[in-house]
Amino acid sequence: MLSEINPELYTTVESVKTVLLKLNNNGLTSVVIVSNTGQFLKVVGDGDIRRFLSGGGDLKDLITLVKVPEEQKIVQLPVNRSEVAKIFSSQSNIRLIPVVDSDGMLRNIITEKSFEKSIPVSQPKLTEIEINNCTSALADNWISSQGKFINDFEAKISDDIGGKAVCVSNGTVAIELSIKALNLGDGKKIGVPNFTFGATVNAILNAGSIPVLLDVCPVTWKVNINEDELVALNLDGIILVNIYGLSYRKDEISFFKLHCNKLIIDSAEAVRKNIFKDDEYSDAMTFSFFANKILTTGEGGAVVFRDHEVKNKAKVLRDHGMDIKRRYWHVKVGSNYRMTNLQAAIGLGQLQRIDSILEERKLIFDRYNVHFDNSDIINNKNMASGVSPWLYTITLDDKINVNSLLNFLSAHLIEAREIFYPMSLMEIFKPYKYKTSYISEELLSSGICLPTFNGLSLKDVDKISNKIVRFLENE
């Protein structure tokens, strides 16, 4: 790994004179000292050497004799980008940060310049359209949960996505609100995929319902249950999750709707035009507009309903349970799940650009596919044509250590993430298992999500892919 680090940024145990030459060459006033085996020892700055020489030290002395501050800023794998940014912004005297693994071995050296080129797993991209919308909202002084952008955004969602839209403060309460509006709360049993983000199950519990964890196919990542088993569970409703952008087909949705009174689709990770119009069978579909989603409002979410009366009920529940026609008159026990006008201003701009947003992300997916399609170790079949391009997600051969790959990428300032943990492995959700063994638990150790966001260059996609291929070749 040392061979991949700029040699001007580190040295093994040498004389003070040799280290001074390194300092002059790298222009950063600091250099990292490592042992002959690559073990991190310390960071030495020019000020440390000046104090050493003025105290009687000699240029021929070994650098290990130079005293440095007891607490030095280092980061361990995996690299926390927020931590690095905080160090550089708060301490102007720090010009480089060593990255070490759990054994204290030097894996990289981060400079401000190299950190600027680091690749996050996701980040939002806003344009003049969103900025102008926000400026307009600020100029009109409508910054709370009322204003024209709320109405315009809900109308645009209804037109482009389908259904009757209600905007909310985040994707989690979007699920909770849909459950309550469809009368699935108060102890009713709701089936939910075992492979999902915890927000789906939390929303069921917060609505007063009982989740039933359903197994998923380790290949398709969709709920995998036979008809007899589904009938025996006697569910009041079911929530299907478009996990990692993989939408359920119409025939799959129809199968589940036949055996459940109500069906909700958690589509936090999948969005496209007419996605709700096209399925025909679900009663509601929920979306998240968190900063890492395809469309973002920073925080925020929405629900679309088939039925107009259910939508009106949801609006009452969202707005403190107040009567729509009589302000401050409460007709239900509600909550404040409202989105702000500023969030809606951003969301409207995003939705107006949905075609270009999806097209750019599709190009990223296509480029990853070029690198991985013929791999015997990487399974990227779920990222083929038709997936909603959220995070490019792959599974790996069982012999590959996923954490080692994540740390390898992190050392190269590439942020990647493991896939979600199956709910059945967590103590708080174990009571909602209906069987002892879940095939979906096998997914835990094999999947990772790669950087995917608008603004990610295809050159960076090539860089990420080549790093992964090289890592796998050496395994």
Side-chain angles (χ1 to χ4, degrees):
M1 195 71 180
L2 286 178
S3 62
E4 299 182 31
I5 302 174
N6 183 348
E8 297 300 332
L9 301 180
Y10 76 93
T11 182
T12 53
V13 178
E14 303 282 358
S15 68
V16 172
K17 181 179 179 180
T18 301
V19 173
L20 273 174
L21 290 174
K22 287 272 186 179
L23 286 170
N24 288 332
N25 289 337
N26 72 28
L28 294 175
T29 70
S30 297
V31 68
V32 175
I33 312 299
V34 297
S35 70
N36 289 330
T37 60
Q39 191 88 17
F40 169 75
L41 299 177
K42 57 186 172 181
V43 178
V44 175
D46 55 2
D48 302 317
I49 293 178
R50 283 197 305 271
R51 284 186 290 273
F52 173 73
L53 294 175
S54 64
D58 192 278
L59 288 172
K60 296 179 182 179
D61 289 334
L62 290 177
I63 193 65
T64 48
L65 296 177
V66 176
K67 291 184 178 180
V68 298
E70 289 187 9
E71 290 190 10
Q72 295 200 306
K73 294 297 181 182
I74 63 173
V75 296
Q76 286 193 316
L77 292 176
V79 174
N80 184 316
R81 296 180 74 252
S82 298
E83 179 186 355
V84 173
K86 184 177 180 180
I87 292 172
F88 278 134
S89 64
S90 63
Q91 302 187 44
S92 58
N93 62 311
I94 292 181
R95 310 296 293 278
L96 52 80
I97 304 172
V99 178
V100 301
D101 62 20
S102 58
D103 297 319
M105 303 297 288
L106 185 69
R107 294 305 181 194
N108 199 357
I109 299 172
I110 304 174
T111 65
E112 289 183 286
K113 187 175 181 179
S114 68
F115 185 60
E116 289 173 359
K117 297 178 181 179
S118 64
I119 304 173
V121 71
S122 180
Q123 65 182 17
K125 181 181 180 181
L126 304 179
T127 68
E128 289 295 323
I129 297 174
E130 291 90 340
I131 293 170
N132 290 338
N133 283 354
C134 286
T135 301
S136 174
L138 289 168
D140 292 341
N141 217 28
W142 288 104
I143 62 172
S144 65
S145 56
Q146 296 185 36
K148 77 181 189 72
F149 286 108
I150 294 286
N151 295 329
D152 290 349
F153 190 30
E154 288 183 338
K156 182 70 171 170
I157 293 171
S158 298
D159 289 342
D160 287 3
I161 304 299
K164 298 159 180 63
V166 178
C167 286
V168 293
S169 53
N170 59 65
T172 307
V173 300
I175 302 170
E176 184 178 339
L177 183 63
S178 66
I179 292 169
K180 292 178 177 178
L182 290 167
N183 296 320
L184 286 174
D186 300 325
K188 291 187 172 64
K189 294 197 302 180
I190 302 177
V192 61
N194 190 43
F195 181 45
T196 184
F197 180 56
T200 318
V201 185
N202 285 333
I204 295 171
L205 291 167
N206 287 333
S209 312
I210 302 171
V212 179
L213 299 179
L214 306 177
D215 212 351
V216 305
C217 172
V219 177
T220 66
W221 306 346
K222 295 178 179 180
V223 171
N224 184 26
I225 187 170
N226 63 52
E227 189 168 14
D228 289 342
E229 200 174 1
L230 185 58
V231 170
L233 286 174
N234 193 29
L235 301 173
D236 297 293
I238 189 168
I239 299 178
L240 301 177
V241 180
N242 289 338
I243 195 77
Y244 291 112
L246 290 164
S247 300
Y248 282 77
R249 300 190 313 269
K250 189 184 296 186
D251 61 302
E252 293 170 329
I253 299 169
S254 173
F255 167 76
F256 289 106
K257 186 62 188 289
L258 279 173
H259 302 289
C260 298
N261 182 35
K262 300 292 182 183
L263 190 150
I264 299 166
I265 296 182
D266 172 0
S267 199
E269 298 156 19
V271 65
R272 60 172 172 79
K273 284 187 174 179
N274 299 321
I275 189 171
F276 187 60
K277 288 178 185 175
D278 290 345
D279 86 48
E280 297 182 13
Y281 297 104
S282 62
D283 297 285
M285 185 176 286
T286 67
F287 300 92
S288 168
F289 303 133
F290 183 60
N292 69 357
K293 296 302 189 292
I294 296 174
L295 300 180
T296 183
T297 60
E299 283 280 6
V303 193
V304 289
F305 295 99
R306 300 268 173 216
D307 186 270
H308 182 75
E309 292 303 317
V310 176
K311 182 207 78 169
N312 283 343
K313 179 181 178 182
K315 293 189 78 169
V316 170
L317 293 171
R318 177 194 67 177
D319 298 346
H320 299 285
M322 287 189 295
D323 192 305
I324 292 176
K325 297 179 180 179
R326 189 177 182 184
R327 183 182 286 269
Y328 306 133
W329 189 261
H330 299 268
V331 292
K332 293 184 180 296
V333 177
S335 299
N336 180 2
Y337 291 157
R338 297 176 296 198
M339 174 182 281
T340 69
N341 196 47
L342 280 171
Q343 289 173 304
I346 298 172
L348 182 62
Q350 291 268 292
L351 193 49
Q352 288 169 340
R353 298 193 299 110
I354 187 171
D355 289 335
S356 63
I357 287 173
L358 289 173
E359 180 58 32
E360 183 180 351
R361 297 175 82 100
K362 182 180 180 298
L363 290 174
I364 292 169
F365 268 49
D366 289 345
R367 191 60 156 250
Y368 276 127
N369 285 337
V370 168
H371 288 278
F372 300 146
D373 270 350
N374 298 317
S375 173
D376 295 327
I377 302 174
I378 299 170
N379 181 352
N380 67 335
K381 291 181 176 60
N382 285 337
M383 299 294 103
S385 176
V387 66
S388 196
W390 181 47
L391 287 178
Y392 191 90
T393 306
I394 57 176
T395 53
L396 302 167
D397 189 280
D398 290 342
K399 69 181 180 180
I400 303 300
N401 187 310
V402 168
N403 284 330
S404 294
L405 174 56
L406 291 172
N407 282 337
F408 173 80
L409 293 173
S410 183
H412 288 88
L413 299 183
I414 298 169
E415 183 183 18
R417 293 180 184 170
E418 61 271 80
I419 59 174
F420 298 137
Y421 296 97
M423 299 293 101
S424 59
L425 295 177
M426 304 177 199
E427 290 299 323
I428 57 171
F429 298 138
K430 282 183 178 180
Y432 309 109
K433 297 169 63 173
Y434 77 93
K435 59 181 185 178
T436 56
S437 177
Y438 283 77
I439 297 173
S440 46
E441 292 175 1
E442 298 173 10
L443 283 168
L444 172 64
S445 60
S446 65
I448 64 171
C449 305
L450 301 181
T452 314
F453 54 89
N454 292 88
L456 178 66
S457 71
L458 296 183
K459 181 179 178 181
D460 278 339
V461 174
D462 292 339
K463 174 184 174 181
I464 297 161
S465 303
N466 290 332
K467 293 287 186 188
I468 292 171
V469 170
R470 198 183 78 201
F471 174 87
L472 296 177
E473 287 175 346
N474 294 327
E475 281 294 289

